[in-house]
Amino acid sequence: MAMSAAPPADPFPRSVWPKVAGVLLAVYVVYACAQMEISWERVEIGLHNAAHFFSRLFPPNFSRWELLVKGLLESLQIAVLASALGIVLALPIGLAAARNLMPAWVTWPARVVIVMARSFHPVIVAILFVKAVGFGALAGILALTVASIGFIGKLFTEAIEEISDKQVEAVRATGAPFASVLWFGVLPQVFSRFIGFATYQLDSNLRNSTMVGIVGAGGVGGTLFAAFQRFDYDYVCAILISIIALIMLGELLASAVRAIFIDNATLPDFFRRGSTRGIETAVADD
Amino acid sequence: MAHALAASSPPQAWHRFTPGQRLARFVVYLAIVTAIVVSAQSVEVIPEFLADAPEQMADLFARMWPVDWAHYQGSVHSALLETIHIASLGTLLALVLALPVGVLAAHNLVPFTPLNLFAKLILVSSRSVNSLVWALLFVGIFGPGALAGTLAIAFRSIGFVGKLFGEALEEAQPGPIEALTAAGAPWMSRMTFGYWPQVRPAFWSIALFRWDINVRESAVLGLVGAGGIGMALDAALNLFQWNRVALILVSIVVIVIVAEVVVTQVRKRVI
């Protein structure tokens, strides 16, 4: 009786905090827009320009395709070399930073290196390398190598720290030296994740290698920025289309590598299942 | 008899992978090695520049020291605030724009494949254009300034947020939604009481994660004229004021670390 008399508890209790947060957010938006002098008039003027801008963007002008191909190839070279160099350097650093395998006096310096490599955007690192080694692809390669060390190092460390100790102990119990412990106890546990980050990094380096040219570090970015500054918008459009095509190709390749190493696919599988799955997995990574 | 035969015959070799799988792996290894060798041979690197690098690096750091701390009050502080505003407003705008696209991309919410593919196309195109390229485009349309930067951040983030949000929606448990449908709940109620409570933690953590990335990215947008600390950096670089460059780099590191700490703390307390 008493039970039924009690009012039923609200199954969807409403807290006052979301409303407060919403009001605060709205106030912030108004304040930030005022600070940055963003107003509806500016947006309206811009939208007016947009039609003009897009009409100059199309049709894309591929007449200077030789310069374009040269830039794209250089971007590709930068991405490949930076990924290779970055991965080779990141593996020992990532291993040194793993707390479950290494003593503290080794992990701390390695962690500092990884944090420093991660703290700047690749384009900013590229500025510093342009000063150090001059304009050209080398600066881009070094900048993206630093970025790769930061990213792969961090993820590799985390992957190693999450492995199961049992296999490592079993290999150690046989009296295996440290190298064998790594090779048979640690590596098999992290290999598939490592393939994941390595393909991701190649993808990310490919995206960034098309951008480091903006600060003079080689690749198609320099051509893009120069065309943009000369208001050569139809050429800009051609460059953008090519960059997007290159990046999508890179994604497809990366997803093929993941399929082969992680899902144990064979070459005929790609033709059997059709390309839709490849595209799906390519979309799965940002 | 059979046992004896088996024992006498040479032991069968066991392989972890089938020949097809091994061939596929070999092709990948070969492709990687070829790509590295071809790139290393054809890339234009001037060896003298590489040999000179340590000296140039030392020179760079010598020029950066002492850091021009006095300049902070001048223009770096306001540029830094502008960077944070660009990142935050861009993230908010991206959340608003990505919600409907994420819903359209989720097959269990919109069981109409052409629409799903259309939403995915939007998401992929947003993500395959770098935020610097988005910034270039918006600078072309709206002129230099923070508005272009905000829109660049927003348009780059739509793909990221929309894709992860759509996936979170697709992973939602069908139980509560079926219960609501059985009770005759309209579409909006199914969304707010069925899906939203399930995807809310994912949504906020995606938003925080993207904000953190956006703080880093908005720091470079100024290099193409889209506002924020990057414009101060560009100005200092063009004038070879390396002391100021050092100050700006230090402030970027500080702001990135602060953003990371804020995100970790908020995630720990709220989500």
Side-chain angles (χ1 to χ4, degrees), chain A residues 26-66:
Chain A
V27 170
Y28 169 75
V29 169
V30 172
Y31 164 77
C33 285
Q35 282 283 307
M36 298 198 294
E37 289 160 3
I38 292 176
S39 62
W40 185 244
E41 289 92 83
R42 274 201 69 183
V43 177
E44 221 163 348
I45 295 168
L47 289 179
H48 203 68
N49 289 343
H52 181 60
F53 179 78
F54 280 109
S55 69
R56 289 185 57 187
L57 219 49
F58 291 100
N61 174 5
F62 283 94
S63 60
R64 270 171 289 166
W65 60 273
E66 279 160 336

Side-chain angles (χ1 to χ4, degrees), chain A residues 100 256 264:
Chain A
N100 54 347
N264 289 325

Side-chain angles (χ1 to χ4, degrees), chain B residues 222-225 229-239 248:
Chain B
L223 293 174
V224 296
I229 189 94
M231 273 172 122
L233 180 64
D234 199 34
L237 279 170
N238 288 338
L239 299 171
I248 292 167

